[in-house]
Amino acid sequence: MTETDAPQITRTSWFMIALLAFIWGGTFLVTEVALTGITPFWLAASRIGFAAVVMGLIWGVRGFPLFKSTPSTGHIVAMLFIGMASSAVPFSLLAWGQQYVTSGFAGVSMASVALIVLPLAHFMVPGERITPRKSLGFLVGFCGVVILIGGQAFESTGTALEFPGRMACIGAASCYALSSILMRRLPQVDAIGLATVLLIIGGSVAIPMALIIEGPPPAPSPKILLVLAFLGLVPTAAANFLRVLVVRSAGPVFMSLVNYQVPVWSVVLGALILSEPLPPSLIYAMALILAGLGLSQYGALKRLFSARG
């Protein structure tokens, strides 16, 4: 894989973003449980640190492969930035920002990743040019997310720090977008090695940050330790590896489609597991999101179904 390769969107690509959406959509429920026994910044540091250890063991068994050839200084700097912008920085921005904004605004800001990626990819990633149909598809999908979230999407909390809180959420979304773009531009690299190094970089930032902001970590109960282990293993380690695979093969624009699906799974799983009421707008929102996915990825879907025939 090189930065000049065109994105390759296959059945496996679609399966991976659907799986990622399901994993990240259910993470909100597990995070709520974890926050009953640990503080927000230590939660982020714990899941990144645990994921780095697990992935490091797997990477070590494979002999620590990384770049296929000697990387340039620019690629090393880019990798350091990606490591911080993929986890530690956005996790911290969200942890701070969500104290002052509605959960609805936070959800919409995460959905905006797709809209931020689109123009960046046009200029920075070969084969990811903006087209009218692709732009319309992303806007339709975004409208579906706003309808799903409902009245909370742009409600005001009235707090003095609401505007900085909103900027923190948008900053987190921008981190995810830019890190995906730069990840795609890296030269040939081992996917497990890259996922591991990014988590190590993220952990080296997140742990000192948690120590500075929140002091020494609280002593979690055995139940919370199990929850943290799950968060580190599934939505952080495994999901980060899947994200690397998708971005490197199918491209950052395709990867950003996950952000439209995550709110749907969050709502559905909340209804199934916590008996939360399903919003009446769910069907309309899902129709718009699916229509947006279809419009934005019309060419890839056409090739996919043609290949099946």
Side-chain angles (χ1 to χ4, degrees):
M1 177 66 59
T2 68
E3 65 181 69
T4 57
D5 289 336
Q8 300 297 317
I9 300 172
T10 64
R11 297 182 187 89
T12 303
S13 306
W14 285 99
F15 172 76
M16 286 193 291
I17 66 164
L19 182 58
L20 278 169
F22 175 77
I23 290 171
W24 283 334
T27 300
F28 296 103
L29 302 178
V30 185
T31 299
E32 287 183 17
V33 176
L35 285 172
T36 63
I38 194 168
T39 51
F41 284 91
W42 274 113
L43 169 59
S46 299
R47 60 183 287 192
I48 296 171
F50 183 85
V53 170
V54 171
M55 291 297 293
L57 292 173
I58 297 172
W59 188 34
V61 169
R62 299 179 67 249
F64 300 106
L66 191 56
F67 288 106
K68 306 298 182 182
S69 57
T70 303
S72 67
T73 302
H75 289 138
I76 294 174
V77 172
M79 191 167 62
L80 289 171
F81 177 85
I82 296 166
M84 293 185 288
S86 294
S87 54
V89 174
F91 284 7
S92 300
L93 286 173
L94 282 172
W96 184 83
Q98 284 186 264
Q99 299 175 94
Y100 309 107
V101 304
T102 63
S103 59
F105 182 85
V108 167
S109 68
M110 289 302 98
S112 71
V113 170
L115 300 179
I116 298 170
V117 163
L118 196 60
L120 288 176
H122 176 81
F123 293 105
M124 298 177 68
V125 182
E128 295 275 28
R129 298 188 67 81
I130 294 176
T131 64
R133 182 170 57 215
K134 187 179 289 186
S135 300
L136 178 61
F138 275 78
L139 288 172
V140 168
F142 183 76
C143 289
V145 173
V146 173
I147 289 173
L148 177 62
I149 292 173
Q152 278 197 327
F154 300 106
E155 280 182 356
S156 174
T157 60
T159 62
L161 292 176
E162 181 175 33
F163 180 74
R166 288 186 172 189
M167 290 301 98
C169 292
I170 297 298
S174 300
C175 283
Y176 288 131
L178 189 54
S179 64
S180 291
I181 296 291
L182 293 177
M183 188 188 300
R184 170 67 183 177
R185 291 174 58 86
L186 291 174
Q188 287 190 325
V189 65
D190 180 79
I192 289 179
L194 179 59
T196 304
V197 171
L198 296 180
L199 286 168
I200 291 171
I201 294 168
S204 68
V205 174
I207 294 172
M209 189 179 297
L211 190 60
I212 292 169
I213 295 172
E214 296 178 340
S221 66
K223 174 187 173 182
I224 298 300
L225 280 175
L226 287 175
V227 173
L228 292 174
F230 173 82
L231 286 171
L233 182 62
V234 181
T236 308
N240 193 59
F241 173 58
L242 286 176
R243 178 180 179 239
V244 167
L245 288 179
V246 173
V247 170
R248 295 289 296 166
S249 59
V253 171
F254 185 77
M255 174 64 209
S256 69
L257 296 174
V258 168
N259 297 87
Y260 289 159
Q261 302 169 62
V262 168
V264 175
W265 280 114
S266 180
V267 169
V268 170
L269 291 172
L272 293 175
I273 298 173
L274 302 179
S275 300
E276 295 176 345
L278 285 172
S281 58
L282 177 63
I283 300 300
Y284 303 110
M286 287 181 64
L288 284 173
I289 290 170
L290 290 174
L293 294 178
L295 278 171
S296 65
Q297 297 300 318
Y298 175 78
L301 286 168
K302 185 178 179 180
R303 289 190 297 273
L304 182 64
F305 287 105
S306 296
R308 290 183 65 178

